[in-house]
Amino acid sequence: MKDKLDHKDRIYFEVRDYECDMQGIVNNSVYQNYLEHARHQFIKSRGLDFAEITKQGIYLVLIKAELDYMRSLRSGDTFYIHTTIERVSKLKLNFLQQAHQSDNDQLILNAKMTVTSTTKKGLPIVDHLVAS
């Protein structure tokens, strides 16, 4: 199976034992940690540093999370998250993310994470989002 996804927008992970629940599968809440890390790395790969953006008083805030779980991951599984971005409006953008098993590219998860940028006081910042 030829992989058509852009490798530069991938972040690789390995499931750790403590991320699994009593059923031996990754707990649903852990996927949000994976997705967040992948978003931060995506931003960093575009020459921006999440911590530096925050120091400048710009807060990238997740305002909506849509996750569709297709398959379960287990301890020791390796997988990657592919991230793309789309502008929704002057105030919002979506990070479109997919998790795939590394060995066979099977889809594990589809996610659409909507973010906006605000000041420290929560006021919107227009057109300062990380989109191209």
Side-chain angles (χ1 to χ4, degrees), residues 30-110:
V30 173
Y31 288 94
Q32 290 219 31
N33 291 327
Y34 296 148
L35 293 167
E36 182 175 23
H37 182 70
R39 287 192 305 276
H40 288 199
Q41 292 302 308
F42 181 89
I43 291 168
K44 192 173 187 177
S45 76
R46 281 10 185 216
L48 299 167
D49 183 275
F50 192 81
E52 188 57 37
I53 292 169
T54 303
K55 284 180 191 173
Q56 294 173 14
I58 300 166
Y59 293 77
L60 297 179
V61 180
L62 180 69
I63 58 174
K64 185 175 185 181
E66 298 177 52
L67 287 77
D68 295 315
Y69 300 94
M70 310 301 193
R71 290 179 166 55
S72 297
L73 290 168
R74 298 183 177 281
S75 181
D77 284 350
T78 57
F79 66 100
Y80 62 89
I81 295 177
H82 180 260
T83 302
T84 58
I85 197 167
E86 71 175 3
R87 181 169 292 285
V88 177
S89 71
K90 287 184 178 185
L91 296 175
K92 297 179 191 174
L93 60 88
N94 289 330
F95 283 90
L96 305 174
Q97 298 180 278
Q98 290 186 327
H100 292 263
Q101 284 191 297
S102 294
D103 59 351
N104 60 16
D105 289 323
Q106 276 194 326
L107 181 62
I108 302 300
L109 169 81
N110 264 322

